[in-house]
Amino acid sequence: MTGDDLRKHVLAWLVENHNLRPAHAWRIEVARRLVCDDMQAAWDELAKHGATDGRHILSFVIDAAEDAHRECVRLASGEESGRIAEVADALDTLREAIAHAPSPFLDGAYPIEIDGRPVAFSWRKTGAKVLQLDNATQSICLDELLEIAHGNIIDIAAHQPGGMLARSRERPQLTAFVRYLAGHFEKRYDGTLTASVARIAATTYGDPITEEQTERILGTQPQ
């Protein structure tokens, strides 16, 4: 497999996917940039490290670009924790309100439909148990759902998945893209391939970045 072969795979992808939905049309522009002459050195290096399909590389680039965009619109990690904690507090407040509401106003069960199927809704567990004794209708108990949600949200607040990437003031999205793409290459080809990452990043974003700058980005640990 050569670098030229990998480029031809992307050219074939462009022919097959020239009518993508508007929301995904940017992927076509990315693919076009990846097959330009300036990318030849990157394709050659990728081929030497075992790449067998240029469409895999394109997929990594698209995934890294989408992840970088999401990363850069995230809130700061401290604010994220605060927002999640607010959800936990709201769940507590609602559960207490249901528990202290005077009986028998929230003790019954009420027939509803979900996707055309009869289901019974109850505020409290007592209502759900009474209904289950009377018939075999599936029931949904808000108190039980809130209990499940509370147990999950506390864990999420304490252990947020995915560390916030260290952001560059000048080029935060490019910085995030470099990290994500290097991560894909590390897993697939047992190497970050910094020269190829730098060339792909510069080509994809139209923003010059050197191999040395790429190495410095990858040497900065996530927060």
Side-chain angles (χ1 to χ4, degrees), residues 212-223:
E212 291 74 19
Q213 289 172 318
T214 300
E215 291 173 348
R216 283 198 295 273
I217 290 171
L218 297 177
T220 304
Q221 295 299 315
Q223 296 175 0

Side-chain angles (χ1 to χ4, degrees), residues 64-77 80 163-180 205:
E66 290 179 332
D67 289 340
H69 174 73
R70 280 192 291 266
E71 185 64 44
C72 290
V73 297
R74 284 180 64 181
L75 300 170
S77 56
E80 284 183 339
M164 180 72 72
L165 294 178
R167 294 176 177 172
S168 165
R169 290 185 178 181
E170 297 179 357
R171 301 187 289 182
Q173 194 156 324
L174 185 66
T175 298
F177 175 83
V178 164
R179 285 186 177 278
Y180 283 117
Y205 285 88

Side-chain angles (χ1 to χ4, degrees), residues 196-219:
S196 293
V197 170
R199 191 174 295 273
I200 291 171
T203 302
T204 300
Y205 285 88
D207 192 352
I209 180 172
T210 66
E211 184 175 355
E212 291 74 19
Q213 289 172 318
T214 300
E215 291 173 348
R216 283 198 295 273
I217 290 171
L218 297 177

